[in-house]
Structures are given as C-alpha cells and as structure tokens.
Amino acid sequence: MSICLKRTIYSTLFLLIALPSLAHAYTDPGSGLLLWQLLGSAFIGLLFYFKRTISIVKRLFHKNGQP
C-alpha cells in the first residue's frame, strides 16, 4: 500500500473520530438491562463449559477414572 493511500486512510479515520456528530436516536431503558443479562448469562455459561471441560481432562489423567 502506498504512503499516500495510507495517509488518506488515516486522515479520514482521524476526522471521523475527532469530529463530533449529532445522534438523533432513542435508547429504550430496557436495552441496558438486556445487555447486562446477555453478558451475565454468557459468563455463567462459560463457567459451566470450562468446568465440564476441566473435569473431562482431569478424568483422562487419573487412573481408572477415579478422582
């Protein structure tokens, strides 16, 4: 990629980030709660997934499947 093209891309990105724009939008109060619920349930799901995976790996390394 040429230097001129890189400068153009970086300049454009900088201007898009630096210049504020008005957002005429409405956010439902329940949207934040939905996001928290999504993050919490994903975290709990990952905990169960890793707990099961770790127990399977432990069983493989113990003799005769004994803990």
Side-chain angles (χ1 to χ4, degrees):
M1 196 179 314
S2 69
I3 293 174
C4 184
L5 182 60
K6 284 183 182 180
R7 283 186 186 166
T8 304
I9 291 172
Y10 290 142
S11 297
T12 304
L13 288 175
F14 175 75
L15 288 175
L16 287 173
I17 293 171
L19 297 176
S21 62
L22 296 176
H24 301 286
Y26 171 75
T27 304
D28 185 40
S31 300
L33 183 61
L34 182 64
L35 180 64
W36 280 108
Q37 183 179 359
L38 174 74
L39 291 173
S41 60
F43 179 72
I44 298 296
L46 284 173
L47 286 177
F48 279 105
Y49 173 76
F50 285 120
K51 180 180 177 185
R52 180 181 168 147
T53 305
I54 289 172
S55 69
I56 290 171
V57 170
K58 281 183 180 179
R59 245 185 289 141
L60 289 173
F61 288 107
H62 283 62
K63 294 181 182 178
N64 300 328
Q66 299 293 328

